[in-house]
Amino acid sequence: MNIKHLRLFIRVAATHNISMAGEELGLSAALASSYLNKLEESLGVRLIHRTTRKVSLTAEGQAF
């Protein structure tokens, strides 16, 4: 598990916005999304529901 991925997840959980969270950490939106995908893959669970307009945590994401 990568600490950068964890930091990003924490910011996404707080802001409910992948682009904003990435920007706060100096990442592009595409790289931020990639980091989240890698974190979810490493944990084997979906942490975030993503749509074009909304980001929300799954039950697993809330627990994590």
Side-chain angles (χ1 to χ4, degrees):
M1 197 174 322
N2 187 313
I3 192 73
K4 291 179 183 181
H5 300 172
L6 291 174
R7 274 194 230 155
L8 176 64
F9 174 74
I10 291 167
R11 292 307 308 145
V12 170
T15 63
H16 297 279
N17 188 310
I18 295 172
S19 297
M20 183 185 302
E23 186 176 314
E24 288 177 7
L25 297 173
L27 306 170
S28 68
L31 187 56
S33 184
S34 173
Y35 277 12
L36 291 174
N37 287 335
K38 288 177 184 177
L39 178 61
E40 290 175 330
E41 286 175 16
S42 73
L43 295 172
V45 295
R46 194 72 153 154
L47 299 173
I48 298 171
H49 289 294
R50 300 168 183 85
T51 67
T52 55
R53 296 182 181 253
K54 186 177 177 184
V55 173
S56 61
L57 297 177
T58 63
E60 293 84 359
Q62 290 175 354
F64 185 68

Coordinates of all heavy atoms in Angstrom, one line a residue:
M1 N 0.8 -1.2 0.0 CA 0.0 0.0 0.0 C 0.9 1.2 0.0 O 1.8 1.3 0.8 CB -0.9 0.0 1.2 CG -2.0 0.9 1.1 SD -3.2 0.8 2.5 CE -3.3 -0.9 2.9
N2 N 0.6 2.2 -0.8 CA 1.4 3.4 -1.0 C 0.8 4.5 -0.2 O -0.4 4.8 -0.2 CB 1.4 3.7 -2.5 CG 2.3 4.8 -2.9 OD1 2.3 5.9 -2.2 ND2 3.0 4.6 -4.0
I3 N 1.7 5.2 0.5 CA 1.2 6.3 1.4 C 0.6 7.5 0.6 O -0.3 8.1 1.0 CB 2.4 6.8 2.3 CG1 1.9 7.8 3.4 CG2 3.5 7.6 1.4 CD1 1.2 7.1 4.4
K4 N 1.1 7.7 -0.7 CA 0.5 8.7 -1.5 C -0.9 8.4 -1.9 O -1.8 9.3 -1.9 CB 1.3 8.9 -2.8 CG 2.7 9.5 -2.6 CD 3.4 9.6 -3.9 CE 4.8 10.2 -3.7 NZ 5.5 10.3 -4.9
H5 N -1.2 7.1 -2.1 CA -2.5 6.7 -2.4 C -3.5 6.9 -1.2 O -4.6 7.3 -1.4 CB -2.6 5.2 -2.8 CG -1.7 4.9 -4.0 ND1 -1.5 3.6 -4.4 CD2 -1.1 5.7 -4.9 CE1 -0.7 3.7 -5.5 NE2 -0.4 4.9 -5.8
L6 N -2.9 6.6 0.0 CA -3.7 6.8 1.2 C -4.0 8.3 1.4 O -5.1 8.6 1.8 CB -3.0 6.2 2.4 CG -2.9 4.7 2.5 CD1 -2.0 4.3 3.6 CD2 -4.3 4.1 2.6
R7 N -3.0 9.1 1.3 CA -3.2 10.6 1.4 C -4.3 11.1 0.5 O -5.2 11.9 0.9 CB -1.9 11.3 1.2 CG -1.1 11.4 2.4 CD 0.0 12.5 2.2 NE 1.2 11.8 2.6 CZ 2.4 12.1 2.2 NH1 2.6 13.1 1.3 NH2 3.5 11.5 2.6
L8 N -4.2 10.6 -0.7 CA -5.2 11.0 -1.7 C -6.6 10.6 -1.3 O -7.6 11.3 -1.4 CB -4.9 10.5 -3.1 CG -5.9 10.8 -4.2 CD1 -6.0 12.3 -4.4 CD2 -5.6 10.1 -5.5
F9 N -6.7 9.3 -0.9 CA -8.0 8.8 -0.4 C -8.6 9.7 0.7 O -9.8 10.0 0.7 CB -7.9 7.4 0.0 CG -9.2 6.8 0.6 CD1 -10.3 6.6 -0.3 CD2 -9.4 6.7 1.9 CE1 -11.5 6.1 0.3 CE2 -10.6 6.3 2.5 CZ -11.6 6.0 1.7
I10 N -7.8 10.0 1.6 CA -8.2 10.8 2.8 C -8.8 12.2 2.3 O -9.8 12.7 2.7 CB -7.1 11.0 3.8 CG1 -6.8 9.7 4.5 CG2 -7.5 12.1 4.8 CD1 -5.5 9.7 5.3
R11 N -8.1 12.8 1.3 CA -8.5 14.1 0.8 C -9.8 13.9 0.0 O -10.7 14.8 0.0 CB -7.4 14.7 -0.1 CG -6.2 15.2 0.7 CD -6.5 16.1 1.9 NE -7.4 17.2 1.5 CZ -8.3 17.8 2.3 NH1 -8.5 17.3 3.5 NH2 -9.0 18.8 1.9
V12 N -9.9 12.9 -0.8 CA -11.2 12.6 -1.6 C -12.3 12.4 -0.6 O -13.4 12.9 -0.8 CB -11.0 11.4 -2.5 CG1 -12.3 11.0 -3.1 CG2 -10.0 11.7 -3.6
A13 N -12.1 11.7 0.5 CA -13.1 11.4 1.5 C -13.6 12.7 2.1 O -14.8 12.9 2.3 CB -12.7 10.5 2.5
A14 N -12.7 13.7 2.3 CA -13.0 15.0 2.9 C -13.7 15.9 1.9 O -14.6 16.7 2.3 CB -11.7 15.6 3.5
T15 N -13.2 15.9 0.7 CA -13.7 16.9 -0.3 C -14.8 16.4 -1.2 O -15.5 17.2 -1.8 CB -12.6 17.4 -1.2 OG1 -12.1 16.3 -2.0 CG2 -11.5 18.0 -0.4
H16 N -14.9 15.1 -1.3 CA -15.9 14.4 -2.3 C -15.6 14.9 -3.7 O -16.5 15.0 -4.5 CB -17.3 14.7 -1.9 CG -17.7 14.1 -0.6 ND1 -18.0 12.7 -0.4 CD2 -17.7 14.6 0.7 CE1 -18.2 12.5 0.8 NE2 -18.1 13.6 1.5
N17 N -14.3 15.1 -4.0 CA -14.0 15.6 -5.3 C -12.5 15.1 -5.7 O -11.6 15.6 -5.0 CB -14.0 17.2 -5.3 CG -13.8 17.8 -6.7 OD1 -12.9 17.4 -7.4 ND2 -14.7 18.7 -7.1
I18 N -12.4 14.3 -6.7 CA -11.1 13.7 -7.0 C -10.2 14.8 -7.6 O -9.0 14.8 -7.2 CB -11.3 12.6 -8.0 CG1 -12.1 11.4 -7.4 CG2 -9.9 12.1 -8.5 CD1 -12.4 10.3 -8.3
S19 N -10.7 15.6 -8.4 CA -9.9 16.7 -9.1 C -9.3 17.6 -8.0 O -8.1 18.0 -8.0 CB -10.7 17.5 -10.1 OG -11.1 16.6 -11.1
M20 N -10.2 18.1 -7.1 CA -9.8 19.0 -6.0 C -8.7 18.4 -5.1 O -7.7 19.0 -4.8 CB -11.0 19.5 -5.2 CG -10.6 20.5 -4.2 SD -12.0 20.9 -3.1 CE -13.2 21.5 -4.3
A21 N -9.0 17.1 -4.7 CA -8.1 16.4 -3.9 C -6.7 16.2 -4.5 O -5.7 16.4 -3.9 CB -8.7 15.1 -3.5
G22 N -6.8 15.9 -5.8 CA -5.5 15.7 -6.6 C -4.7 17.0 -6.7 O -3.5 17.1 -6.5
E23 N -5.5 18.1 -6.9 CA -4.8 19.4 -7.1 C -4.2 19.8 -5.8 O -3.1 20.3 -5.8 CB -5.9 20.4 -7.5 CG -5.3 21.8 -7.7 CD -6.4 22.8 -8.2 OE1 -7.2 22.4 -9.1 OE2 -6.4 23.9 -7.7
E24 N -4.8 19.5 -4.6 CA -4.2 19.9 -3.3 C -2.9 19.1 -3.1 O -2.1 19.6 -2.4 CB -5.2 19.5 -2.2 CG -6.4 20.4 -2.1 CD -7.4 20.0 -1.1 OE1 -7.1 19.0 -0.3 OE2 -8.5 20.6 -1.0
L25 N -2.8 18.0 -3.7 CA -1.6 17.2 -3.6 C -0.6 17.3 -4.7 O 0.3 16.5 -4.8 CB -2.0 15.7 -3.3 CG -2.8 15.4 -2.0 CD1 -3.2 14.0 -2.0 CD2 -2.0 15.8 -0.8
G26 N -0.9 18.2 -5.7 CA -0.1 18.4 -6.8 C -0.2 17.3 -7.9 O 0.8 17.0 -8.6
L27 N -1.4 16.7 -8.0 CA -1.6 15.6 -9.0 C -2.6 16.0 -10.0 O -3.6 16.8 -9.7 CB -2.1 14.4 -8.3 CG -1.3 13.8 -7.1 CD1 -2.1 12.7 -6.4 CD2 0.0 13.3 -7.6
S28 N -2.5 15.6 -11.2 CA -3.5 15.8 -12.2 C -4.8 14.9 -11.8 O -4.6 13.9 -11.1 CB -3.0 15.4 -13.6 OG -2.9 14.0 -13.7
A29 N -5.9 15.2 -12.4 CA -7.1 14.5 -12.1 C -6.9 13.0 -12.6 O -7.4 12.1 -11.9 CB -8.3 15.1 -12.8
A30 N -6.3 12.9 -13.8 CA -6.1 11.5 -14.3 C -5.2 10.7 -13.4 O -5.4 9.5 -13.1 CB -5.5 11.6 -15.7
L31 N -4.1 11.3 -12.9 CA -3.2 10.6 -12.0 C -3.9 10.3 -10.7 O -3.7 9.2 -10.1 CB -1.9 11.4 -11.8 CG -0.8 10.7 -11.0 CD1 -0.4 9.4 -11.6 CD2 0.4 11.6 -10.9
A32 N -4.7 11.2 -10.2 CA -5.4 11.0 -8.9 C -6.3 9.8 -9.1 O -6.4 8.9 -8.2 CB -6.2 12.2 -8.5
S33 N -7.1 9.7 -10.2 CA -8.0 8.6 -10.4 C -7.2 7.3 -10.5 O -7.6 6.3 -10.0 CB -8.8 8.9 -11.7 OG -9.7 7.9 -11.9
S34 N -6.1 7.3 -11.1 CA -5.2 6.2 -11.3 C -4.8 5.7 -9.9 O -4.8 4.5 -9.6 CB -4.0 6.5 -12.1 OG -3.1 5.4 -12.1
Y35 N -4.4 6.6 -9.0 CA -3.9 6.3 -7.7 C -5.1 5.6 -6.9 O -4.8 4.6 -6.2 CB -3.5 7.5 -6.9 CG -2.1 8.0 -7.2 CD1 -1.3 7.5 -8.2 CD2 -1.5 9.0 -6.4 CE1 0.0 7.9 -8.4 CE2 -0.2 9.4 -6.6 CZ 0.5 8.9 -7.6 OH 1.8 9.4 -7.8
L36 N -6.3 6.1 -7.0 CA -7.4 5.5 -6.3 C -7.7 4.1 -6.9 O -8.0 3.2 -6.1 CB -8.7 6.4 -6.5 CG -8.6 7.8 -5.8 CD1 -9.8 8.6 -6.1 CD2 -8.5 7.6 -4.3
N37 N -7.6 4.0 -8.2 CA -7.8 2.6 -8.7 C -6.8 1.6 -8.2 O -7.1 0.5 -7.8 CB -7.7 2.7 -10.3 CG -8.9 3.3 -10.9 OD1 -10.0 3.3 -10.3 ND2 -8.7 3.8 -12.1
K38 N -5.5 2.1 -8.1 CA -4.5 1.2 -7.5 C -4.7 0.9 -6.1 O -4.5 -0.3 -5.7 CB -3.1 1.9 -7.7 CG -2.6 1.9 -9.2 CD -1.3 2.6 -9.3 CE -1.0 2.7 -10.8 NZ 0.3 3.4 -11.0
L39 N -5.2 1.8 -5.3 CA -5.5 1.6 -3.9 C -6.6 0.6 -3.8 O -6.5 -0.4 -3.0 CB -5.8 2.9 -3.2 CG -6.2 2.7 -1.7 CD1 -5.1 2.2 -0.9 CD2 -6.7 4.1 -1.2
E40 N -7.6 0.7 -4.6 CA -8.8 -0.2 -4.5 C -8.3 -1.6 -4.9 O -8.7 -2.6 -4.3 CB -9.9 0.3 -5.4 CG -10.6 1.5 -4.9 CD -11.6 2.1 -5.8 OE1 -11.5 2.0 -7.0 OE2 -12.6 2.7 -5.3
E41 N -7.5 -1.7 -6.0 CA -7.0 -3.0 -6.4 C -6.2 -3.7 -5.3 O -6.3 -4.9 -5.1 CB -6.1 -2.8 -7.7 CG -6.9 -2.5 -8.9 CD -6.1 -2.3 -10.1 OE1 -4.9 -2.6 -10.1 OE2 -6.6 -1.7 -11.1
S42 N -5.3 -2.9 -4.7 CA -4.5 -3.5 -3.6 C -5.3 -4.0 -2.4 O -4.9 -4.9 -1.8 CB -3.4 -2.5 -3.2 OG -3.9 -1.5 -2.4
L43 N -6.4 -3.3 -2.2 CA -7.3 -3.7 -1.0 C -8.3 -4.7 -1.5 O -8.9 -5.4 -0.6 CB -8.0 -2.5 -0.5 CG -7.1 -1.4 0.2 CD1 -7.9 -0.2 0.5 CD2 -6.4 -2.0 1.4
G44 N -8.6 -4.8 -2.7 CA -9.6 -5.8 -3.2 C -11.0 -5.4 -3.0 O -11.9 -6.2 -3.0
V45 N -11.2 -4.1 -2.8 CA -12.6 -3.6 -2.6 C -12.8 -2.2 -3.3 O -11.8 -1.5 -3.5 CB -13.0 -3.4 -1.1 CG1 -13.0 -4.7 -0.3 CG2 -12.0 -2.4 -0.4
R46 N -14.0 -1.9 -3.6 CA -14.3 -0.6 -4.1 C -14.5 0.4 -3.0 O -15.3 0.1 -2.1 CB -15.6 -0.7 -5.0 CG -15.9 0.4 -5.8 CD -14.9 0.3 -6.9 NE -15.4 1.0 -8.2 CZ -14.5 1.4 -9.0 NH1 -13.2 1.3 -8.8 NH2 -15.0 1.9 -10.1
L47 N -13.8 1.5 -3.0 CA -13.9 2.5 -1.9 C -14.7 3.7 -2.2 O -15.3 4.3 -1.4 CB -12.5 3.0 -1.5 CG -11.5 1.9 -1.0 CD1 -10.1 2.5 -0.9 CD2 -11.9 1.3 0.3
I48 N -14.8 3.9 -3.5 CA -15.5 5.2 -4.0 C -16.4 4.9 -5.1 O -16.0 4.2 -6.1 CB -14.4 6.2 -4.4 CG1 -13.5 6.6 -3.2 CG2 -15.1 7.5 -5.0 CD1 -12.4 7.4 -3.6
H49 N -17.6 5.4 -5.1 CA -18.6 5.4 -6.2 C -18.2 6.7 -7.0 O -18.2 7.8 -6.5 CB -20.0 5.6 -5.7 CG -20.6 4.4 -5.1 ND1 -20.7 3.2 -5.7 CD2 -21.0 4.2 -3.8 CE1 -21.3 2.3 -4.8 NE2 -21.4 2.9 -3.7
R50 N -18.0 6.5 -8.3 CA -17.6 7.6 -9.2 C -18.7 7.7 -10.3 O -19.0 6.8 -10.9 CB -16.3 7.4 -9.8 CG -15.1 7.3 -8.9 CD -13.9 6.8 -9.8 NE -12.7 6.5 -9.0 CZ -12.5 5.4 -8.4 NH1 -13.3 4.4 -8.4 NH2 -11.3 5.2 -7.8
T51 N -19.2 9.0 -10.5 CA -20.0 9.3 -11.6 C -19.4 10.5 -12.2 O -18.5 11.1 -11.6 CB -21.5 9.5 -11.3 OG1 -21.6 10.7 -10.5 CG2 -22.1 8.3 -10.5
T52 N -19.9 11.0 -13.3 CA -19.4 12.2 -13.9 C -19.7 13.4 -13.1 O -19.0 14.4 -13.2 CB -19.9 12.4 -15.4 OG1 -21.4 12.4 -15.3 CG2 -19.5 11.3 -16.3
R53 N -20.6 13.4 -12.2 CA -21.0 14.5 -11.4 C -20.8 14.4 -9.9 O -20.9 15.4 -9.2 CB -22.5 14.8 -11.7 CG -22.8 15.3 -13.1 CD -24.2 15.6 -13.3 NE -24.4 16.0 -14.6 CZ -24.7 17.2 -15.0 NH1 -24.7 18.2 -14.2 NH2 -24.9 17.5 -16.3
K54 N -20.6 13.2 -9.5 CA -20.6 13.0 -8.0 C -19.6 11.9 -7.6 O -19.4 10.9 -8.3 CB -22.0 12.6 -7.6 CG -22.2 12.5 -6.1 CD -23.6 12.1 -5.7 CE -23.8 11.9 -4.2 NZ -25.1 11.5 -3.9
V55 N -19.0 12.1 -6.5 CA -18.1 11.1 -5.9 C -18.6 10.9 -4.4 O -18.8 11.8 -3.7 CB -16.6 11.6 -5.8 CG1 -15.7 10.7 -5.0 CG2 -16.1 11.8 -7.2
S56 N -18.8 9.6 -4.1 CA -19.2 9.3 -2.7 C -18.5 8.0 -2.3 O -18.1 7.2 -3.1 CB -20.7 9.1 -2.7 OG -21.2 8.0 -3.5
L57 N -18.4 7.8 -1.0 CA -17.7 6.6 -0.4 C -18.7 5.5 -0.4 O -19.9 5.6 -0.1 CB -17.3 6.9 1.0 CG -16.2 8.0 1.1 CD1 -15.9 8.2 2.6 CD2 -15.0 7.7 0.4
T58 N -18.2 4.3 -0.7 CA -18.9 3.1 -0.5 C -18.9 2.8 1.0 O -18.3 3.4 1.8 CB -18.3 1.9 -1.3 OG1 -17.0 1.7 -0.7 CG2 -18.2 2.2 -2.8
A59 N -19.7 1.7 1.4 CA -19.7 1.3 2.8 C -18.3 0.9 3.2 O -17.8 1.2 4.3 CB -20.7 0.2 3.0
E60 N -17.6 0.2 2.3 CA -16.2 -0.2 2.6 C -15.3 1.0 2.7 O -14.4 1.1 3.5 CB -15.7 -1.1 1.5 CG -16.3 -2.5 1.4 CD -17.7 -2.5 0.6 OE1 -18.1 -1.4 0.1 OE2 -18.3 -3.5 0.5
G61 N -15.5 2.0 1.8 CA -14.7 3.3 1.9 C -14.9 4.0 3.2 O -14.0 4.6 3.8
Q62 N -16.2 4.0 3.7 CA -16.5 4.7 5.0 C -15.8 4.0 6.1 O -15.2 4.6 7.0 CB -18.0 4.8 5.2 CG -18.7 5.7 4.3 CD -20.2 5.7 4.5 OE1 -20.7 4.9 5.2 NE2 -20.8 6.6 3.8
A63 N -15.8 2.6 6.1 CA -15.2 1.8 7.1 C -13.6 2.0 7.1 O -13.0 2.0 8.1 CB -15.5 0.4 7.0
F64 N -13.1 2.1 5.9 CA -11.7 2.2 5.7 C -11.2 3.6 6.2 O -10.2 3.7 6.9 CB -11.3 2.0 4.2 CG -9.8 2.0 4.0 CD1 -9.0 1.0 4.5 CD2 -9.2 3.0 3.3 CE1 -7.6 1.0 4.2 CE2 -7.8 3.0 3.0 CZ -7.0 2.0 3.5

